[in-house]
Amino acid sequence: MMMRILQGGAPKCGNFWLYQIIQQILTRTGRDTGSFIQQHPIYELARNWDLNYPSQASIDVLEITDLQYSYRISSIFRMPITDIQSYLSRTNHVWTHSPVCKRSGELLDLFDKKVYIIRDSRDRAISASKYYCSDYMLKYYPQEEKDPQQFLEKNFEKLMQEWVWHVFDHLRLSRRYNIHIAFYEGFLLDFQQELGRLLDYLDIDLNQAQRDALQEAMSFATLKSKNPKHLKKGQSGYWMDQLKDEQVEKADIIAGPLIRFLNYPEQKGQPMTFSTEPDHHQDFDQLKQEIIASQEVLYT
């Protein structure tokens, strides 16, 4: 029987890395890796498009809004899904960046396994700024600002707000819908431990030799050599060197309660930490109120 997996995450949180890891797990254990988009007539055209990385046209990416499901290829092709069950019958691994909306619960119930990846919001903001100013994005979404640092300066608050509510809502639903929370920093700093957590959740067993081989295939250096436009650094905590003090302060105002909930470092110079076991008994209504209260200073 096919295991249906939905992976989610805010943009620039390690989604591509997670996708490759899950695909490797499925392939190495002889499981089906069927794809809806690879059976679609557009695929033969799309695989020759100038996309952000070579395999981008082959990935089943789903967009979810209150009103509609749609499938897309990168940011340049999108079509509505009229029958979600029919769509899911032709794929078993779907990627989404969509924030939680009214349809999310209905969709989550259709998947056997749900994996959501989190990355430190401040590193993610820097990475996103570089991405939005990349040749690829400027080609399809031209904008006046082409310098990543200036983009970050102008959009820092927006990027932090996007992260805080995207992550909060998925954490809030994680217990009800059995969503596994993966960490970008976990794969970076202790790949085997983070892989073990993922395998346990998926109920898939790999021996140590298989795990070592998967780590080698999924090392950041290996993936970057094959996807140089999409993958840049593969580091964590570089916000400590690159953000201005006032940006660190603003990050704390916007996302401080959630940063502390996830046990990420609060200040420059602290060691990189994160909690792979956030308190599932947390009162998320209380956490939401703490985030709102922290942000009040922005609006007074």
Side-chain angles (χ1 to χ4, degrees):
M1 185 177 169
M2 187 163 68
M3 180 196 299
R4 289 208 188 99
I5 302 170
L6 177 68
Q7 71 163 80
K12 307 313 294 178
C13 283
N15 304 274
F16 174 71
W17 201 7
L18 177 64
Y19 182 86
Q20 298 293 337
I21 290 166
I22 292 174
Q23 286 293 102
Q24 285 279 325
I25 291 170
L26 295 174
T27 301
R28 288 169 185 265
T29 54
R31 285 170 170 80
D32 183 34
T33 54
S35 166
F36 169 87
I37 202 68
Q38 289 178 39
Q39 302 169 55
H40 193 287
I42 194 68
Y43 179 64
E44 288 306 314
L45 282 174
R47 62 194 300 189
N48 295 311
W49 290 346
D50 180 23
L51 299 177
N52 201 25
Y53 49 91
S55 62
Q56 194 165 19
S58 67
I59 295 172
D60 286 321
V61 178
L62 184 64
E63 208 162 277
I64 311 139
T65 68
D66 289 347
L67 301 176
Q68 187 181 62
Y69 297 119
S70 54
Y71 60 90
R72 64 181 177 88
I73 296 175
S74 182
S75 306
I76 58 178
F77 173 83
R78 187 174 73 87
M79 289 292 285
I81 295 172
T82 53
D83 184 343
I84 188 66
Q85 294 280 9
S86 174
Y87 172 83
L88 292 178
S89 71
R90 298 165 71 183
T91 180
N92 70 324
H93 181 194
V94 176
W95 161 333
T96 186
H97 283 312
S98 294
V100 168
C101 66
K102 291 176 183 175
R103 282 177 172 247
S104 296
E106 166 189 293
L107 182 75
L108 290 165
D109 279 335
L110 297 176
F111 286 87
D112 304 302
K113 301 290 182 179
K114 285 80 65 170
V115 183
Y116 183 81
I117 190 161
I118 296 176
R119 182 184 189 183
D120 187 308
S121 56
R122 296 148 297 186
D123 283 342
R124 180 258 170 183
I126 295 168
S127 178
S129 297
K130 292 175 180 173
Y131 174 68
Y132 291 128
C133 294
S134 67
D135 291 342
Y136 167 75
M137 283 301 286
L138 291 173
K139 176 179 179 177
Y140 294 108
Y141 291 90
Q143 57 175 352
E144 290 185 7
E145 189 52 70
K146 297 177 175 61
D147 178 68
Q149 286 223 280
Q150 290 299 316
F151 185 94
L152 182 66
E153 190 81 33
K154 294 175 181 176
N155 295 280
F156 187 72
E157 185 171 326
K158 179 182 174 185
L159 289 166
M160 291 299 302
Q161 291 281 13
E162 179 185 39
W163 179 89
V164 75
W165 296 116
H166 204 293
V167 172
F168 169 82
D169 278 333
H170 283 87
L171 287 170
R172 176 175 60 85
L173 297 180
S174 61
R175 197 168 187 196
R176 188 192 314 174
Y177 292 100
N178 188 27
I179 302 170
H180 173 72
I181 305 300
F183 285 86
Y184 173 85
E185 293 82 8
F187 285 118
L188 204 57
L189 302 175
D190 191 340
F191 187 92
Q192 288 297 334
Q193 182 177 350
E194 194 67 25
L195 175 63
R197 292 178 59 244
L198 178 59
L199 290 169
D200 287 347
Y201 169 75
L202 295 174
D203 295 319
I204 292 176
D205 188 42
L206 291 179
N207 62 40
Q208 194 56 52
Q210 290 173 310
R211 293 177 189 224
D212 291 342
L214 193 151
Q215 179 173 359
E216 178 61 30
M218 292 293 97
S219 75
F220 200 89
T222 301
L223 287 178
K224 184 177 179 181
S225 69
K226 297 176 181 177
N227 305 276
K229 286 197 291 184
H230 189 68
L231 300 175
K232 299 301 179 190
K233 287 199 173 181
Q235 297 174 354
S236 64
Y238 53 82
W239 64 266
M240 296 183 188
D241 298 321
Q242 297 188 30
L243 291 187
K244 299 173 183 176
D245 289 345
E246 52 265 36
Q247 289 173 320
V248 175
E249 187 179 334
K250 182 159 273 189
D252 188 64
I253 289 169
I254 295 170
L258 188 54
I259 288 170
R260 286 184 283 281
F261 173 68
L262 294 167
N263 198 32
Y264 279 124
E266 293 182 57
Q267 301 297 329
K268 293 181 178 183
Q270 294 180 337
M272 173 49 67
T273 57
F274 56 94
S275 175
T276 57
E277 298 296 334
D279 182 6
H280 285 294
H281 301 290
Q282 167 79 32
D283 182 340
F284 282 102
D285 287 334
Q286 180 186 334
L287 180 58
K288 181 179 181 179
Q289 293 310 313
E290 288 173 9
I291 294 169
I292 292 169
S294 182
Q295 293 186 9
E296 271 181 13
V297 67
L298 298 172
Y299 308 109
T300 54

